[in-house]
Amino acid sequence: MLRVTKSIIDGLGVRLPERRVTTAEILDGCENSIRLPLERLTGIHERRLAGDGLFSIDLAEDAIKACLAKSPVDAADYDLLVCTNISRRDAADQFTYEPGATLTLKKRLGFDNALAIDLTNACAGMWTGVYLVDALIRTGEIRHGMVVSGEYISYLIENAQREITSFMDPQIASLTLGDAGVAVSLGLSPSPEVGLHDLDLYTLSKYSPYCIAKPTDKEHGGAVMYTDAIKVTEAVVPHAARHAKLVVDRNGWPLDRIDHIVPHQTSQLTMQEAKKEIQRLYKYDFGDCFLNNLAERGNTSSNSHFLALSDAINGGRIKAGDDVAFCISGSGQTTGTALYTMDELPTRLMNGNGQHRPAVGASTPAATLPVQLEIESVGLSKPECGDKADTLEMLTAAAEKCLATSTYSREQIDLLISVGTYRSDFVMEPA
């Protein structure tokens, strides 16, 4: 018989670089004088920066170690390990595509029985990894999974400091970035009252041009990120507010049940706009429910939600029994909402010991969904003789050919996944 259950966060681990750099120092490092009250607008006073011997793979490894120290599950007992950071900068001048980061982490840390998957979905990456792990736990396919993001993305600041010419420059958002490693462990919930009640994501790709990370066209080389902050806010805030209410309503939660709201940590101004939109739409004021760790962290991209969660727990703000709504966003544009009720996780993390609750689900997993899948259609594409290969063009052509022989229309497709290792022009964001 199919067993449908909730997943729960068993452990949470964080690795922050030691180096602290203020927003004032970032602005002072710009080659052109930028007259912009960046700290006042974003709420970011400082952030932690990696580099100098500490890179993406190191942040991920250290975060996993911290998570395992506070989890009731040993590394060898995990069935799935997912790595979701955008940046794969693993050395001073090295970006790693193959082997996947999870294969390296699996070997180093003893995840002997875990399937290892690398997954990227811009700033929604870590929640997309949780989406996968949660689905497999709910169906009984796995018992324990871990999602990690070692996000060393602040190197984008260096080129922004070289290239920004005014306060309207599209690279201004690069000056808000910070680095962190975060790992979250998930298992079966011991009770329907606690854990992940709902997690829903959707994609609006028409907004994808509003945030793009790629190589610079300048002689000094390196990567840059171009963001239209105004259009991003206009796109994200209304969708996020409506979607959160939809998910809250379908779970029968009144708005006053929500103790905390954890948005993507981008800027104080964006959070203020979100509060205004909710108040306008629903005539409800969440007051101080919004969690904000921007002052000391900046925007750590794919792991910002879970870093904010960790900070709130360690600061004593989130306690056992609290109901939390996560408002998810990532360039692309991916929007989502997750509803979660805390068990004793805050107490376990504060005590620094993961053994306060026995691991749940150590027995044989439940039967998986009794559904037989089939390959319904296939599309193939390759460059014409003499043409230069382009990733996006080949993907598009293959998908069009697949749809041409399918009995389904594109409107009926619920999930689209690109699995190529390399991408033309080294585009990192959006997915």
Side-chain angles (χ1 to χ4, degrees):
M1 181 178 177
L2 178 65
R3 180 180 64 198
V4 179
T5 187
K6 289 179 169 63
S7 63
I8 199 165
I9 298 175
D10 277 326
L12 183 62
V14 170
R15 171 64 157 100
L16 290 167
E18 300 300 323
R19 184 160 62 114
R20 302 167 186 258
V21 179
T22 67
T23 294
E25 290 172 322
I26 294 288
L27 287 172
D28 286 344
C30 292
E31 294 186 6
N32 298 296
S33 178
I34 308 299
R35 301 187 65 179
L36 178 70
L38 190 62
E39 181 172 337
R40 180 166 60 83
L41 291 174
T42 63
I44 301 169
H45 173 65
E46 66 177 26
R47 76 280 289 138
R48 304 292 186 94
L49 298 188
D52 297 330
L54 183 70
F55 302 100
S56 297
I57 195 70
D58 308 306
L59 290 168
E61 181 177 356
D62 290 349
I64 289 175
K65 289 177 180 177
C67 186
L68 288 172
K70 300 175 182 179
S71 167
V73 185
D74 294 328
D77 293 325
Y78 282 89
D79 304 302
L80 178 62
L81 178 64
V82 185
C83 186
T84 66
N85 38 286
I86 301 168
S87 171
R88 301 300 166 98
R89 189 167 184 174
D90 293 335
D93 298 306
Q94 174 185 322
F95 288 83
T96 305
Y97 282 96
E98 291 185 273
T102 44
L103 293 175
T104 301
L105 295 167
K106 174 178 176 173
K107 182 178 180 181
R108 289 183 184 180
L109 298 172
F111 286 82
D112 299 334
N113 300 306
L115 174 64
I117 298 176
D118 281 20
L119 177 158
T120 56
N121 193 18
C123 289
M126 200 161 184
W127 270 109
T128 308
V130 171
Y131 187 86
L132 171 62
V133 172
D134 174 65
L136 294 176
I137 288 174
R138 284 174 181 265
T139 61
E141 183 66 26
I142 68 171
R143 294 165 296 180
H144 309 291
M146 184 178 290
V147 183
V148 62
S149 166
E151 204 65 270
Y152 169 38
I153 201 166
S154 66
Y155 58 85
L156 292 169
I157 295 173
E158 299 169 10
N159 270 348
Q161 289 174 318
R162 294 188 186 103
E163 299 181 19
I164 288 174
T165 58
S166 75
F167 69 91
M168 291 297 291
D169 195 288
Q171 290 194 64
I172 287 291
S174 298
L175 304 182
T176 69
L177 300 175
D179 301 325
V182 182
V184 59
S185 165
L186 294 110
L188 290 171
S189 172
S191 164
E193 303 303 317
V194 295
L196 187 59
H197 300 286
D198 203 343
L199 171 54
D200 190 73
L201 301 170
Y202 69 98
T203 306
L204 297 167
S205 58
K206 65 181 179 181
Y207 299 123
S208 60
Y210 296 163
C211 184
I212 296 175
K214 63 179 184 179
T216 181
D217 57 4
K218 304 296 189 296
E219 289 186 4
H220 52 70
V224 291
M225 182 175 72
Y226 300 115
T227 305
D228 189 325
I230 294 175
K231 288 186 178 179
V232 166
T233 300
E234 290 176 348
V236 170
V237 170
H239 283 286
R242 289 179 173 85
H243 186 258
K245 184 64 162 54
L246 181 149
V247 174
V248 167
D249 286 349
R250 78 183 181 198
N251 283 272
W253 284 24
L255 290 176
D256 60 6
R257 174 173 171 174
I258 299 171
D259 298 304
H260 311 283
I261 298 175
V262 186
H264 180 25
Q265 305 290 303
T266 55
S267 80
Q268 183 174 266
L269 190 61
T270 302
M271 290 188 197
Q272 290 171 349
E273 290 301 315
K275 286 183 181 180
K276 290 178 184 177
E277 182 70 7
I278 291 171
Q279 195 160 10
R280 185 185 70 82
L281 287 174
Y282 309 118
K283 306 298 186 291
Y284 189 86
D285 184 5
F286 276 103
D288 296 328
C289 288
F290 278 75
L291 298 186
N292 176 351
N293 70 343
L294 283 163
E296 296 181 339
R297 306 293 184 233
N299 177 3
T300 62
S301 56
S302 64
N303 59 37
S304 79
H305 292 89
F306 290 99
L307 181 57
L309 176 66
S310 175
D311 284 342
I313 288 174
N314 290 326
R317 183 166 176 179
I318 293 182
K319 299 178 173 61
D322 284 0
D323 291 311
V324 185
F326 295 89
C327 295
I328 304 157
S329 65
S331 60
Q333 169 72 42
T334 299
T335 298
T337 305
L339 301 181
Y340 192 92
T341 299
M342 288 287 158
D343 68 338
E344 297 299 324
L345 177 72
T347 304
R348 297 197 304 275
L349 293 181
M350 292 291 282
N351 290 338
N353 188 342
Q355 303 305 319
H356 284 264
R357 181 174 68 80
V360 178
S363 58
T364 303
T368 55
L369 286 171
V371 177
Q372 186 172 358
L373 304 180
E374 67 172 0
I375 297 174
E376 196 266 346
S377 61
V378 175
L380 303 176
S381 173
K382 62 181 181 179
E384 296 296 327
C385 184
D387 287 352
K388 180 181 177 181
D390 179 84
T391 306
L392 191 57
E393 288 182 4
M394 289 191 292
L395 287 169
T396 302
E400 292 286 6
K401 291 180 180 179
C402 187
L403 285 167
T405 59
S406 173
T407 59
Y408 300 105
S409 66
R410 69 191 67 220
E411 291 80 13
Q412 293 175 294
I413 304 299
D414 298 309
L415 180 63
L416 181 63
I417 303 175
S418 173
V419 297
T421 304
Y422 304 100
R423 297 178 66 178
S424 300
D425 298 326
F426 190 62
V427 175
M428 294 183 292
E429 196 174 353

